[in-house]
Amino acid sequence: MRIVAVRDIVSPIRSNIANAYIDFSQMTASVVAIETDLKVEGKAVVGYGFNSNGRYAQHGLLNERFIKRLTETKPDSLLDGEGLLDPGKCWAAMMANEKPGGHGERSVAVGVLDMALWDAVAKAKRVPLWKLLADRYNGGQYDDKAWVYAAGGYYYPGKDLEALQDEMKHYLDLGYSCVKMKVGGVPLAEDLKRIGAVLNIVGSAERLAVDVNGKFDLLTAIEFGRAIQSLGLRWYEEPLDPLDYLAHAALATQYAPPLATGENLFSMQDARNLIRHAGLRADRDILQFDPALSYGLVEYLRTLEMLKANGWSPRRCVPHGGHQFALNIAVGLQCGGNESYPQVFAPFGGFADDCPVADGRVTLPETPGIGFERKADLWKVMREIA
Ligand SMILES: [Mg+2]
């Protein structure tokens, strides 16, 4: 199995939504296709990947460094014992001559290619990725379904409480039982009204999480935490700057219910610093490292190992991103579930068309690979690259 060509495009995913920190008016994503010479049922195996939302397309890094290294490395040195591409060896080739630390956005570029490599390998083995992962890394164990929650509740020009409630009703109608909304973009009193309005729709605080997107300083985070502490919300997400571990540790002494963070930590080493220094609690807090943004699944496997060594179960992990890659990982490695974006970041958010969400859970298709071919709007974009 050899890589014949790697192509990338920059796809716009712009929209008018905003969280407390950024708007998405200029958002883009890289999409790549890795074409191989291996034929399955007469057709060349092609793996696809993209970066999840919140970070921009990586055309420059991909072409100047990572695609170049991948395609210029001796092909045989990228193979496993079965003669298939070995994502770990590909990862090492891509990361040749990269210094440690300062992960920046190269982790996004590598993550895009890593996703495509895993898609290609699973297709070569003619199994869905979740099954490949269960067999290789999880003693053949996997979950029948993944717990998913609908992430939305963005700030949007002219969006009032009624529109927010309609959005949440729509998620419940789609089969979700838990939702998440943005907070921290307006004064506390206004956010409390928004939270109250959504609680009226979802019925129980256990079914609502709130997300600050790293906006608060410590005192504001504590003040906000005091205001919501008694509600019993599912979790309080990214209250603080994602890299300020000491502030997290301080907040954790003041806010007892579950905290969630990690979507903006892009390496095992950053995740390890969080675990070591942020005072998070392995019995309740949620870790949201996004494999697509943080050097891919090869690195995510290292992160899961690190977590286990520190007494954290993979069940505490609910990756950011709402993509099928993390969904396969959640099922095959038995993590806690996955984020989902039913209304935003089309066509990259969401799962297979014929696997609807029911009772807050989703099944995965048996399609070989990650399953992009079963999501028509996404497949339309991908098909054009190959
Ligand atoms: Mg978030």
Side-chain angles (χ1 to χ4, degrees), residues 149 180 182 211-213 237-238 263 288 320 339 341:
Y149 68 96
K180 185 169 81 183
K182 300 299 181 186
D211 185 2
V212 185
N213 289 91
E237 177 171 328
E238 271 202 318
E263 69 177 70
Q288 301 172 307
H320 163 269
E339 186 167 25
Y341 298 104

Side-chain angles (χ1 to χ4, degrees), residues 218 236 238-255 257-262 265 269-282 284-287 289 306-307 310 312:
L218 178 58
Y236 178 19
E238 271 202 318
L240 297 156
D241 184 280
L243 290 168
D244 191 341
Y245 306 127
L246 184 60
H248 282 83
L251 178 63
T253 68
Q254 299 295 310
Y255 186 79
L259 293 165
T261 191
L265 302 182
Q269 292 86 349
D270 285 333
R272 190 172 60 195
N273 276 337
L274 182 81
I275 296 303
R276 283 176 175 166
H277 305 299
L280 296 183
R281 301 140 311 181
R284 76 198 81 159
D285 292 330
I286 307 292
L287 304 171
F289 318 120
M306 175 281 291
L307 290 175
N310 284 281
W312 283 72

Side-chain angles (χ1 to χ4, degrees), residues 68-361:
K68 203 164 138 76
R69 288 189 194 129
L70 195 57
T71 51
E72 288 179 358
T73 301
K74 207 164 143 274
D76 288 350
S77 69
L78 299 177
L79 303 180
D80 64 14
E82 292 178 73
L84 301 178
L85 285 168
D86 180 328
K89 288 180 181 171
C90 293
W91 197 95
M94 289 191 281
M95 288 295 285
N97 291 322
E98 295 286 330
K99 290 170 81 175
H103 301 282
E105 292 201 334
R106 73 181 177 196
S107 68
V108 180
V110 173
V112 174
L113 292 166
D114 173 278
M115 188 191 294
L117 288 163
W118 285 101
D119 187 39
V121 172
K123 283 171 176 165
K125 298 276 286 179
R126 302 184 197 201
V127 292
L129 179 62
W130 57 265
K131 181 79 169 62
L132 180 89
L133 296 179
D135 290 343
R136 279 195 186 175
Y137 305 109
N138 203 32
Q141 304 279 313
Y142 56 86
D143 291 333
D144 294 330
K145 292 174 178 175
W147 178 80
V148 289
Y149 68 96
Y154 286 84
Y155 299 104
Y156 188 92
K159 184 173 176 181
D160 58 12
L161 290 182
E162 202 181 315
L164 178 64
Q165 288 182 316
D166 287 345
E167 179 191 349
M168 297 302 169
K169 266 183 221 153
H170 177 62
Y171 297 149
L172 298 184
D173 289 344
L174 287 175
Y176 293 90
S177 48
C178 186
V179 301
K180 185 169 81 183
M181 63 185 285
K182 300 299 181 186
V183 293
V186 293
L188 173 62
E190 206 175 314
D191 265 339
L192 290 176
K193 273 187 209 150
R194 293 173 67 248
I195 291 171
V198 174
L199 284 177
N200 281 338
I201 300 301
V202 297
S204 128
E206 239 264 311
R207 301 170 74 182
L208 173 63
V210 294
D211 185 2
V212 185
N213 289 91
K215 174 86 171 185
F216 292 157
D217 60 18
L218 178 58
L219 290 180
T220 313
I222 290 173
E223 188 194 359
F224 194 95
R226 287 197 176 127
I228 61 168
Q229 174 130 5
S230 63
L231 296 177
L233 297 177
R234 185 88 182 200
W235 67 67
Y236 178 19
E237 177 171 328
E238 271 202 318
L240 297 156
D241 184 280
L243 290 168
D244 191 341
Y245 306 127
L246 184 60
H248 282 83
L251 178 63
T253 68
Q254 299 295 310
Y255 186 79
L259 293 165
T261 191
E263 69 177 70
N264 289 301
L265 302 182
F266 289 172
S267 65
M268 182 280 286
Q269 292 86 349
D270 285 333
R272 190 172 60 195
N273 276 337
L274 182 81
I275 296 303
R276 283 176 175 166
H277 305 299
L280 296 183
R281 301 140 311 181
D283 65 345
R284 76 198 81 159
D285 292 330
I286 307 292
L287 304 171
Q288 301 172 307
F289 318 120
D290 181 341
L293 295 178
S294 46
Y295 291 118
L297 173 53
V298 169
E299 181 81 349
Y300 198 71
L301 289 165
R302 295 181 190 127
T303 298
L304 290 176
E305 276 306 304
M306 175 281 291
L307 290 175
K308 283 179 198 162
N310 284 281
W312 283 72
S313 162
R315 293 290 187 200
R316 306 315 309 160
C317 294
V318 181
H320 163 269
H323 45 77
Q324 290 166 289
F325 187 45
L327 191 67
N328 274 269
I329 294 169
V331 162
L333 301 180
Q334 298 187 295
C335 300
N338 199 29
E339 186 167 25
S340 176
Y341 298 104
Q343 272 189 330
V344 286
F345 308 126
F348 300 99
F351 312 128
D353 296 331
D354 51 353
C355 296
V357 177
D359 294 328
R361 288 174 190 272

Side-chain angles (χ1 to χ4, degrees), residues 324 327 350-356 362-365 367 371-372 374-376:
Q324 290 166 289
L327 191 67
F351 312 128
D353 296 331
D354 51 353
C355 296
V362 65
T363 49
L364 272 78
T367 315
F372 301 132
R374 298 280 282 270
K375 185 170 177 354

Side-chain angles (χ1 to χ4, degrees), residues 6-10 30-33 58-60 62-63 67 112 385:
V6 182
R7 293 185 198 89
D8 79 295
I9 58 163
V10 175
S30 279
V31 189
V32 301
Q58 300 294 325
H59 182 72
L62 282 168
N63 287 279
I67 292 175
V112 174
I385 321 170

